[in-house]
Amino acid sequence: MFDPYYLQQLAIGLSLGMTYALMAIGFTLIFGVLNVVNFAHGEIYTLGAFAGLVLISATAPPIVAVILGALAIGALAGFSLERLAFKPFRRFTDEASLKSRAMRESTLLSSLAVSIVVREALEIVFGSQMRSIPFEYLINTPVRVGPVILVTGDFIIFGVAAAMLIGLQYLLTRTRVGLAIRAVSNNPLGAKYVGIDTDRTIITTFVVGSMMGAAAGILMGLYYGAVFPAMGFTPGIKAFVAMVMGGLSSIPGAVICALILGISESMATTFVSSGWSDMVAYGFLILTLIFFPNGLFGARRERV
Amino acid sequence: MKLRLLTLTTLAVAGIAGSAFAADTVKLGYQLPLTGDTAQYGQDFRKAAEIALTEFNAAGKPFKVEIVFEDSRSDAKEGTNIARKFVDDKEIVGVLGDFTSGVSMAAAQVYKEAGMPQLSQTASHPDYTKISKYQFRNIATQAQEGPYNAKWMASKGLKTVAVIAEQTDWGQSVVSGFSDAVKADGGKVVFSEFFNRGLKDYRSLISKLERAKPDAIYTGFFYEDGAQFLKQLHQLGVKTPVYSTSAAYSPKLIELAGEAAEGMHLTSNFLPTDPSPNVQHFVEEWKKRSDGAVPGQFPAQAYDAVRIMLAAVEKAQPNPTREKVRDALAQTKDFPGVTGKTSFSADREAEKELVKVEVKGGAFVPVKD
């Protein structure tokens, strides 16, 4: 008889992986697919969670309105982030600058700077304490499925992640906007020459990706019941690992790798001390980089 | 020659005048995390220190005290840098902090060399006060709390215990302080593991822990990790009783965990509901500065630590030096603080009275057994 203990661990791993995937989807859209180095996604996630928290404590609206509010803040944050940290580096439109990798990669620092400013600002405004979300909003009522216990949030997160994944795949492969995004990521200069409005494409991608980041943030806030300024850091790292493992440009790849990460972490807890389970993520990252430099699901492409 | 003598005299006079001026304001250093992962604690300590300092300076003493706050971000390297900075500032006669045992101990090496008295409100690692005669603390150590809790659990007939604690110097002292005492009382530790601070999901760990079928779970965590742990324990339907140290004693724990915190047992040396005027005064001041929130045990310890240090500075008057402040600190006896009466033992440990507390009906309630 199969030990229900392992089934429970598997379920926990899947639900953990799903939370990583939720973050990884928006992250991969901007960082991987659009090919723009962006380290401020974790703060978008935090902003989404705080937007939800503020809405809840101010007006106590229904949960759908909370999520819509977070999405609006996410869109605004994505737009402003692009304006602040990315647009200034596209000021020069000559061929040399457009081709310059240094120009492209300098957003590593500018986005990191924005992320630090946002985090510290949140700390000044809200304090660094963990803030609780009223219990009636939380999505962690236990649900028993056979020998396994999950919570309602696991199903909601699964639904949202699946919807995001399918929606994005549709957008990227079947629509003109998706075509434009892929064109800009592949060759910004070429895209410009054939008449694609690169600025607009980039802004659109940032807005869509950041809305997903903000949605992930508020969902995680409702799932774990705690919101605090530093909350975006760990999920950001996990999403980064999932994205690199998945081959950077592949959103389904990132999702699958996020699930693999979650399951391996929870399974690893059985055999090694929980203190070491974080090592699994970094171990996978190193192994992937050594043996599959293009990721497990990535296409061959020159990379940052 | 004459000119040189004159210059020297002038310099000497200026020097005396300078030190006479310095005697009017005494400087203390406070190293604490004001940003980063543990900023919430440091911010609270600063608030507590400001309450204590404002009261002290308003009391019409012949001298004023100034506290220099420096942000260590709970980083040992940063903590050591601050320690050097404080040591180099000749006007600073005593230092408070740091928050974590790890950083306090790293900084203590600098203070030991320089002969600077250091009083931490929270560093509870057993080795901290062993560093030199300059290290003091205002918190019960795990060497004190562990056996106390082990006896408590043994008296409730809980024989097999699972122990989990955060992976830090402090967490290790929780496990060792408790486990040895359990064995001495005839109990058994059936599971023992460390987790990383800030872990989000404890469900894997909980499932693993429950496989050992313990009578009770003893935990070494702070309120953030504690709240997540309790909530997920509740989610998984685990009914095993949970015991914890005074580190988890914070109103935030109940706020974050809600009904999942019900029935949790822990120890404490500060009860905001204590009717004594001393405690009520502090609670009122705190509420005024924190939108009506009630202080937890750590801010209370910080408040007392600052007042103990201020009392020592006052005792070391006139012209307090680092050595005089250290000696005055060492003589602290029955200091009437909000965390009970504090005396320093010969090895500079605060002898604290612990209270048994249980979470009942969404509040910390003192219990007899």
Side-chain angles (χ1 to χ4, degrees), chain A residues 3 5 9 12 15-16 120 128-130 132 135 140 142 149 151 223-224 266 269 272-275, chain B residues 35 39-40 44 193-196 200-201 203-204 207-208 211 223-224 228 231-232 235-236 252 255 258:
Chain A
D3 190 346
Y5 168 78
Q9 289 292 26
I12 292 168
S15 106
L16 202 58
E120 296 296 325
S128 44
Q129 298 261 9
M130 272 191 177
S132 57
F135 287 96
N140 55 15
I149 298 172
V151 294
Y223 185 70
Y224 286 122
S266 90
T269 307
V272 296
S273 162
S274 140
Chain B
T35 58
Q40 63 270 36
D44 279 359
E193 194 160 308
F194 296 98
F195 60 85
N196 290 328
K200 267 298 181 61
D201 221 302
R203 288 179 295 172
S204 300
S207 311
K208 186 180 173 187
R211 276 224 293 188
Y223 75 83
E224 304 94 338
Q228 293 304 338
K231 268 195 286 195
Q232 286 160 15
Q235 270 172 30
L236 292 172
K252 277 289 209 185
E255 187 195 318

Side-chain angles (χ1 to χ4, degrees), chain A residues 164-202:
Chain A
M164 279 185 185
L165 177 64
I166 294 166
L168 267 190
Q169 281 310 98
Y170 179 81
L171 178 88
L172 286 176
T173 54
R174 304 279 146 115
T175 64
R176 287 197 70 83
V177 179
L179 196 64
I181 293 175
R182 286 184 294 145
V184 169
S185 110
N186 204 293
N187 185 342
L189 195 59
K192 213 175 178 104
Y193 285 163
V194 296
I196 292 173
D197 187 342
T198 47
D199 265 358
R200 218 166 106 193
T201 309
I202 291 173

Side-chain angles (χ1 to χ4, degrees), chain A:
Chain A
M1 186 56 208
F2 193 66
D3 190 346
Y5 168 78
Y6 290 102
L7 265 182
Q8 177 69 53
Q9 289 292 26
L10 185 71
I12 292 168
L14 272 175
S15 106
L16 202 58
M18 214 73 80
T19 66
Y20 297 159
L22 195 63
M23 173 81 163
I25 293 172
F27 194 53
T28 308
L29 177 66
I30 297 174
F31 201 135
V33 178
L34 187 65
N35 200 5
V36 168
V37 183
N38 172 23
F39 277 113
H41 200 67
E43 273 55 44
I44 302 279
Y45 169 96
T46 315
L47 275 176
F50 269 99
L53 177 72
V54 168
L55 262 179
I56 289 174
S57 40
T59 58
I63 196 157
V64 179
V66 173
I67 291 174
L68 286 178
L71 284 176
I73 292 295
L76 187 69
F79 180 79
S80 325
L81 169 68
E82 201 280 331
R83 207 46 191 274
L84 271 172
F86 295 86
K87 184 108 200 277
F89 290 99
R90 295 202 307 275
R91 202 170 32 191
F92 308 106
T93 46
D94 58 293
E95 207 174 316
S97 305
L98 282 173
K99 277 187 176 161
S100 154
R101 275 178 62 165
M103 272 313 247
R104 212 178 67 210
E105 286 159 23
S106 52
T107 59
L108 184 148
L109 284 179
S110 64
S111 63
L112 200 61
V114 169
S115 87
I116 293 171
V117 169
V118 168
R119 193 168 59 236
E120 296 296 325
L122 282 172
E123 232 165 65
I124 291 170
V125 177
F126 294 97
S128 44
Q129 298 261 9
M130 272 191 177
R131 302 213 149 212
S132 57
I133 287 182
F135 287 96
E136 59 272 22
Y137 279 97
L138 296 189
I139 46 173
N140 55 15
T141 321
V143 179
R144 184 173 271 280
V145 187
V148 170
I149 298 172
L150 288 169
V151 294
T152 42
D154 290 329
F155 299 97
I156 297 174
I157 289 170
F158 174 76
V160 173
M164 279 185 185
L165 177 64
I166 294 166
L168 267 190
Q169 281 310 98
Y170 179 81
L171 178 88
L172 286 176
T173 54
R174 304 279 146 115
T175 64
R176 287 197 70 83
V177 179
L179 196 64
I181 293 175
R182 286 184 294 145
V184 169
S185 110
N186 204 293
N187 185 342
L189 195 59
K192 213 175 178 104
Y193 285 163
V194 296
I196 292 173
D197 187 342
T198 47
D199 265 358
R200 218 166 106 193
T201 309
I202 291 173
I203 292 170
T204 315
T205 318
F206 262 90
V207 168
V208 172
S210 299
M211 277 164 79
M212 291 180 167
I218 182 62
L219 278 175
M220 284 301 107
L222 298 176
Y223 185 70
Y224 286 122
V227 171
F228 55 103
M231 68 186 283
F233 181 73
T234 318
I237 300 268
K238 297 286 160 70
F240 182 78
V241 174
M243 176 182 76
V244 173
M245 274 174 72
L248 286 160
S249 57
S250 161
I251 294 177
V255 169
I256 292 170
C257 291
L259 293 180
I260 295 177
L261 262 187
I263 293 171
S264 349
E265 279 183 15
S266 90
M267 285 300 176
T269 307
T270 309
F271 307 106
V272 296
S273 162
S274 140
W276 289 95
S277 73
D278 266 351
M279 201 185 64
V280 175
Y282 303 117
F284 268 129
L285 181 63
I286 292 170
L287 287 181
T288 315
L289 288 176
I290 294 174
F291 296 108
F292 304 93
N294 291 310
L296 301 178
F297 301 89
R300 212 158 271 281
R301 188 162 118 186
E302 186 225 11
R303 273 296 159 194
V304 176

Side-chain angles (χ1 to χ4, degrees), chain B residues 94-156:
Chain B
V95 169
L96 291 143
D98 202 286
F99 166 51
T100 64
S101 292
V103 182
S104 304
M105 284 158 76
Q109 299 299 339
V110 178
Y111 295 134
K112 170 186 161 187
E113 293 305 319
M116 172 83 92
Q118 178 190 12
L119 169 58
S120 170
Q121 68 293 316
T122 42
S124 63
H125 193 284
D127 290 345
Y128 164 70
T129 46
K130 291 184 187 138
I131 290 173
S132 77
K133 62 169 188 167
Y134 294 99
Q135 273 68 44
F136 297 83
R137 71 172 124 228
N138 184 36
I139 184 172
T141 62
Q142 290 312 315
Q144 210 179 326
E145 267 193 66
Y148 186 84
N149 281 327
K151 280 227 159 42
W152 186 13
M153 289 165 80
S155 76
K156 292 226 169 190

